[in-house]
Amino acid sequence: YDYSGYGASTGKPSESNTYADIEAVYQCLQTEYGVSQEDLILYGQSVGSGPTLHLASKLPRLRGVVLHSGILSGLRVLCHVKFTFCCDIYKNINKIKKVKCPVLVIH
């Protein structure tokens, strides 16, 4: 699937829209295909690590998460700082602490 505003998807690219997109995909997997979180491995690459960790932080029984070149947060990548701003996007460094399943980090 493509996030809003990316690839063939319509809509506007934004942090909140990417969260809504991944939650919609998860809902579809559950309702249309009968996939349980125990059988699901989430994958997020680069900016996609944000929505992936957003969902993973809410699902305590996931099979696993793969982060490929994940980011710490939006501003940490752009500004090379070591702290999180309140206005920052994709605060992955904070959300990873809430993930309960095995995580593979590829960078």
Side-chain angles (χ1 to χ4, degrees):
Y1 66 95
D2 288 327
Y3 293 110
S4 295
Y6 292 93
S9 183
T10 60
K12 180 182 175 205
S14 72
E15 181 181 17
S16 61
N17 283 349
T18 60
Y19 293 159
D21 295 336
I22 198 166
E23 288 177 7
V25 169
Y26 177 64
Q27 277 297 103
C28 176
L29 287 171
Q30 277 189 305
T31 58
E32 299 295 318
Y33 298 98
V35 176
S36 66
Q37 63 177 282
E38 292 88 349
D39 296 323
L40 189 62
I41 298 173
L42 299 181
Y43 173 88
Q45 183 175 359
S46 188
V47 173
S49 63
T52 297
L53 282 175
H54 167 79
L55 185 59
S57 70
K58 295 179 167 197
L59 302 175
R61 297 182 317 275
L62 282 173
R63 174 75 59 185
V65 172
V66 177
L67 299 175
H68 183 177
S69 301
I71 61 173
L72 296 172
S73 77
L75 289 175
R76 284 174 186 250
V77 170
L78 293 174
C79 302
H80 306 288
V81 295
K82 296 185 186 279
F83 50 89
T84 304
F85 293 93
C86 62
C87 61
D88 204 351
I89 63 169
Y90 300 123
K91 298 174 187 171
N92 292 344
I93 194 163
N94 299 338
K95 289 185 180 179
I96 190 71
K97 299 170 190 170
K98 299 176 183 175
V99 176
K100 304 295 183 201
C101 65
V103 177
L104 172 64
V105 177
I106 305 167
H107 199 65

